[in-house]
């Protein structure tokens, strides 16, 4: 709702669990809903494989279509509210985690929403997060309603959230958590307004980059699936090879299922496969229970060779083609909704701050502090109205900024490149030092509004 800036059909926002359905929010010329059973038979939509989860799920699945600019670039899957406490005991009627896993394998970004007032990770939420195993690079975390607590409480809440997530998500990397208040109402606590703006901007950048990298991610998924298919072929062919031709098939099958961890180790050594490429032992054992091992296929080395050739050679040329295509095409970004609200104008992130300060003012922004800078300038014994690099360095190093930063400031401030600074250039250098000390980044090139008045080129008048 926050990203789209408009209601979509079937949307219900409120205390948990208001949403009891999976809603695919997609672009459509006219506003309306498509129920789950109709969705899975539509060849134009990517949901046909969801029919295996049965009617109980399909009755709780729908597609919400509306003509929204944001949805031209991305589609959003809104999942049901996570159940907690007693509600978890009442079955949903379908395997919730399996459905989440199906979506997780196919989406480009997974956003976990936490409430600053309700941080506990319930059993179902914990199971849901575990179903994203293997998709950790897609997960981002949003700590919402952060304006409803003060700064001290927010620090505690953030720490508690990271601790809780560390227990559930079993990765050495720390997840990226975006802190903010993602709704269009006034902030209750404005102490952290700048933090919320910066975090929202980071989240927007992350989502906006998705369409641009879609082709590379699809290729990445193809490589992942090819490797898994290859390992699967090794496992299946090994089980087939070990089966007796006539008697004791059932006993041998049980023995092989129990020995699966040892078979994995053996195949790892034999074919030099990474342990991370093998399917989960427990899950594989459950699946094998219902299979007839004698009907499995034997290993076909030619097919394995083809896959290896694809991974070694074809993928590299495909990657180059994608890069060429991306460089020739205009950068694809998500537009509309909340994404356009902070892109430009005085309410854009960082507008009028740091190096951008004074961009829309007629007077040179450095002029207000120039008298103080001039006092320091004249103590440095200028000759013909200029001070040498050595004199400037003595003053500039008192800021305690590293030489790499001061070197950049010198390049920006020495507008005429004569290796000396006049009073305006010196004032500019001091202004840039102040920008850096205030925690802002320096510009790559000197913006036109920061160029000292005496160094500005006069406008050419047309004859």
């Amino acid at each position: 709702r926050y990203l789209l800036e408009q209601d979509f059909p079937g949307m219900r926002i409120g205390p948990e669990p208001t949403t009891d359905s999976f809603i695919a929010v997609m672009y459509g010329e006219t506003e309306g809903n498509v129920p789950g059973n109709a969705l899975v038979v539509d060849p134009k939509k990517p949901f046909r494989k969801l029919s295996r989860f049965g009617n109980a799920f399909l009755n709780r699945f729908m597609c919400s279509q509306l003509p929204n600019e944001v949805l031209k670039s991305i589609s959003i899957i809104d999942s049901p509210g996570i159940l907690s406490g007693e509600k978890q005991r009442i079955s949903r009627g379908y395997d919730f985690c399996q459905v989440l896993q199906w979506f997780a394998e196919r989406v480009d970004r997974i956003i976990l929403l936490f409430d600053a007032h309700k941080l506990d990770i319930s059993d179902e939420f914990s199971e849901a997060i575990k179903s994203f195993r293997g998709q950790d690079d897609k997960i981002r975390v949003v700590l919402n309603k952060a304006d409803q607590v003060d700064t001290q409480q927010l620090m505690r809440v953030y720490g508690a959230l990271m601790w809780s997530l560390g227990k559930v998500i079993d990765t050495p990397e720390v997840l990226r958590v975006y802190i903010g208040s993602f709704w269009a109402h006034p902030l209750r606590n404005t102490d952290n307004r700048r933090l919320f703006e910066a975090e929202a901007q980071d989240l927007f950048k992350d989502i906006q980059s998705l369409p641009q990298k879609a082709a590379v991610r699809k290729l990445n998924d193809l490589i992942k699936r090819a490797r898994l298919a290859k390992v699967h072929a090794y496992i299946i062919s090994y089980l087939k090879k070990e089966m007796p031709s006539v008697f004791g098939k059932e006993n041998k099958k049980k023995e092989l299922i129990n020995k699966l961890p040892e078979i994995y180790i053996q195949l790892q050594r034999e074919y030099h496969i990474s342990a991370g490429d093998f399917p989960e032992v427990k899950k594989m054992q459950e699946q094998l229970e219902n299979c007839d091992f004698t009907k499995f296929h034997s290993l076909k080395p030619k097919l394995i060779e083809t896959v290896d050739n694809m991974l070694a050679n074809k993928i590299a040329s495909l990657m180059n083609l994608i890069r060429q295509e991306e460089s020739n095409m205009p950068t694809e970004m998500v537009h509309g909704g909340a994404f356009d609200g902070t892109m430009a104008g005085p309410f854009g992130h960082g507008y009028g701050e740091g190096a951008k300060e004074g961009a829309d003012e007629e007077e040179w922004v450095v002029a207000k502090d120039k008298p103080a800078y001039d006092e320091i300038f004249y103590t440095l014994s200028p000759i013909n109205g200029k001070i040498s690099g050595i004199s400037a360095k003595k003053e500039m190093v008192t800021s305690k900024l590293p030489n790499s930063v001061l070197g950049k400031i010198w390049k920006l401030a020495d507008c005429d490149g004569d290796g000396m600074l006049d009073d305006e250039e010196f004032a500019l250098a001091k202004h840039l030092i102040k920008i850096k000390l205030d925690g802002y980044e320096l510009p790559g090139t000197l913006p036109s509004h920061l160029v000292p008045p005496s160094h500005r080129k006069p406008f050419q008048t047309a004859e």
Side-chain angles (χ1 to χ4, degrees), residues 262-397:
E262 294 161 38
I263 294 168
Y264 277 12
I265 294 163
Q266 195 176 326
L267 292 172
Q268 275 177 51
R269 287 183 190 143
E270 197 175 332
Y271 297 106
H272 309 290
I273 308 165
S274 163
D277 285 350
F278 282 86
E280 207 180 313
V281 175
K282 213 172 186 182
K283 205 172 174 187
M284 192 66 172
Q285 284 172 329
E286 284 169 16
Q287 302 242 337
L288 289 172
E289 291 282 354
N290 308 316
C291 299
D292 183 354
F293 288 12
T294 55
K295 289 182 180 174
F296 287 167
H297 292 280
S298 300
L299 192 68
K300 293 174 182 169
K302 267 198 173 177
L303 290 178
I304 296 286
E305 209 175 293
T306 309
V307 173
D308 285 337
N309 179 42
M310 178 197 78
L311 292 170
N313 307 314
K314 302 278 170 66
I315 293 290
S317 55
L318 255 178
M319 197 73 190
N320 287 333
L321 281 171
I322 288 171
R323 284 207 186 105
Q324 281 170 20
E325 201 173 286
E326 280 179 352
S327 61
N328 296 334
M329 285 169 70
T331 306
E332 203 178 335
M333 297 283 271
V334 181
H335 292 289
F339 295 100
D340 287 350
T342 55
M343 294 300 279
F347 294 98
H349 178 61
Y351 188 91
E353 295 175 3
K356 295 174 189 171
E357 187 189 348
D360 50 4
E361 292 172 20
E362 279 186 34
E363 195 184 344
W364 188 39
V365 70
V366 185
K368 64 178 189 290
D369 295 317
K370 191 169 181 290
Y373 299 148
D374 282 351
E375 280 183 31
I376 302 167
F377 179 76
Y378 289 110
T379 62
L380 299 170
S381 313
I383 300 165
N384 299 327
K386 292 193 174 189
I387 58 168
S388 66
I390 294 167
S391 300
K393 183 182 176 181
K394 279 178 188 170
E395 173 56 33
M396 287 167 76
V397 293

Side-chain angles (χ1 to χ4, degrees), residues 152-168:
Q152 191 179 13
Q153 287 170 323
L154 184 58
M155 283 181 70
R156 287 178 184 157
V157 165
Y158 180 78
L161 175 61
M162 296 305 282
W163 182 78
S164 303
L165 285 170
K167 289 174 73 179
V168 180

Side-chain angles (χ1 to χ4, degrees), residues 20-24 34-40 46-63 77-80 91-103:
D20 61 347
S21 304
F22 277 90
I23 305 174
V34 182
N37 282 294
L39 261 182
V40 294
F47 304 120
R48 300 186 81 172
K49 294 278 171 72
L50 281 167
S51 57
R52 69 185 172 96
F53 294 109
N55 265 335
F57 165 69
L58 296 178
N59 291 336
R60 294 260 173 257
F61 178 49
M62 63 173 172
C63 177
I77 307 293
D78 179 26
S79 65
S91 174
R92 290 179 185 267
Y94 61 89
D95 194 329
F96 180 62
C97 290
Q98 283 285 311
V99 175
L100 283 179
Q101 194 175 350
W102 189 91
F103 279 117

